[in-house]
Amino acid sequence: MRSVKIGFPGLGARLKYARSSANYSQEGIAELLGVSRVTVHRWEHDQRTVSKDHLAHMSERYGKPMLWFLAFEEGDVDPLDGRYDTARRIYRRISEM
């Protein structure tokens, strides 16, 4: 069975904020997750999707509910950014689940 991959504009910024708030370095969380620091960096810069399992693990480590990472709020993505409309469509899909 394939792992569910999650990625949308703004997720990386939330991952970085949560990691920093929980006082983890990229190296530290990478080691706990069994991935490279480069992978964590790419997640935090919206350059790579995150598996549902890794997101769940980070959610626990960072003390944030998983839905916090998936919520889209005004201001998460600049409306002038071409990814804004994509992010709004993805958020609608997630909220309908």
Side-chain angles (χ1 to χ4, degrees), residues 11-25:
L11 175 60
R14 284 180 177 244
L15 290 170
K16 185 175 183 177
Y17 173 82
R19 178 184 54 75
S20 297
S21 296
N23 294 315
Y24 282 100
S25 65

Side-chain angles (χ1 to χ4, degrees), residues 56-75:
H57 193 79
M58 285 185 280
S59 173
E60 289 176 25
R61 291 287 180 171
Y62 299 160
K64 299 270 186 202
M66 200 152 157
L67 282 177
W68 182 84
F69 293 98
L70 303 176
F72 178 76
E73 298 173 0
E74 297 299 324

Side-chain angles (χ1 to χ4, degrees), residues 9-80:
L11 175 60
R14 284 180 177 244
L15 290 170
K16 185 175 183 177
Y17 173 82
R19 178 184 54 75
S20 297
S21 296
N23 294 315
Y24 282 100
S25 65
Q26 286 183 339
E27 294 85 1
I29 199 65
E31 186 175 322
L32 289 170
L33 295 173
V35 300
S36 71
R37 185 204 61 80
V38 172
T39 295
V40 173
H41 172 85
R42 288 179 179 160
W43 288 339
E44 292 181 355
H45 290 87
D46 294 327
Q47 296 172 349
R48 188 169 184 175
T49 59
V50 182
S51 75
K52 180 181 173 187
D53 294 338
H54 283 132
L55 186 59
H57 193 79
M58 285 185 280
S59 173
E60 289 176 25
R61 291 287 180 171
Y62 299 160
K64 299 270 186 202
M66 200 152 157
L67 282 177
W68 182 84
F69 293 98
L70 303 176
F72 178 76
E73 298 173 0
E74 297 299 324
D76 282 349
V77 178
D78 183 346
L80 298 177

